[in-house]
Amino acid sequence: MKKLDVQSDGTVFGYTREKSKSHPPGGRTYKSLNYHRQSKLKPGKTIWSKNLSLEDEASLFDSSDFCGWLSVRGDLWWVGSNAGVVVGVRGERVAFFPRCDNHPGPWHGYPVAPSDDESYEIPEDVIRIWEADKTVDNLTAKRMRRGKI
């Protein structure tokens, strides 16, 4: 995704790729919010890993949109192969992009640890998508369903 604008509260990227005519998402914008990069700005917020650049963060969003990792609630989720990629400073391996109600956006997101916070339990429909496209294997999916990842 291309950097579109640098604002006082974050950096805006756009636009996500379109997969096909049958999967029309694409064209979305994403904002990397500063308070998910610097813990002192809003204590208690999850923080992206220092190893993850702003561009990498936007790429996670683009990938989850492109792959159709959308829950029935309208949220996008991201996970690396078998949950093997750490994206948060506290070891989080899952990224959550809450449904954007201020159309046309931008969306935003942050790392989550469903094992530490029940409000971020990975929806079954998303786990099934990840299994079907071989993003996660059966063991990893089982661990997700049990709230271990």
Side-chain angles (χ1 to χ4, degrees), residues 91-140:
E92 297 96 338
R93 296 172 183 273
V94 177
F96 177 70
F97 305 98
R99 180 183 72 229
C100 181
D101 290 325
N102 62 331
H103 186 72
W107 288 56
H108 85 289
Y110 42 91
V112 295
S115 59
D116 295 337
D117 188 340
E118 290 177 6
S119 60
Y120 292 106
E121 180 180 335
I122 303 167
E124 179 61 28
D125 55 314
V126 173
I127 295 172
R128 286 185 184 146
I129 294 168
W130 289 339
E131 285 178 300
D133 68 15
K134 307 276 191 252
T135 300
V136 300
D137 59 20
N138 291 337
L139 177 61
T140 305

Side-chain angles (χ1 to χ4, degrees), residues 5-12 31-34:
D5 193 18
V6 177
Q7 301 173 347
S8 62
D9 62 342
T11 304
V12 179
K31 183 183 251 185
S32 173
L33 292 170
N34 295 336

Side-chain angles (χ1 to χ4, degrees), residues 55-129:
E55 291 77 13
D56 292 338
E57 178 187 335
S59 180
L60 300 183
F61 175 73
D62 182 52
S63 294
S64 51
D65 183 54
F66 183 77
C67 294
W69 295 343
L70 186 73
S71 72
V72 295
R73 291 187 45 195
D75 304 314
L76 283 165
W77 293 78
W78 182 91
V79 71
S81 179
N82 290 318
V85 178
V86 174
V87 295
V89 296
R90 293 190 308 226
E92 297 96 338
R93 296 172 183 273
V94 177
F96 177 70
F97 305 98
R99 180 183 72 229
C100 181
D101 290 325
N102 62 331
H103 186 72
W107 288 56
H108 85 289
Y110 42 91
V112 295
S115 59
D116 295 337
D117 188 340
E118 290 177 6
S119 60
Y120 292 106
E121 180 180 335
I122 303 167
E124 179 61 28
D125 55 314
V126 173
I127 295 172
R128 286 185 184 146
I129 294 168

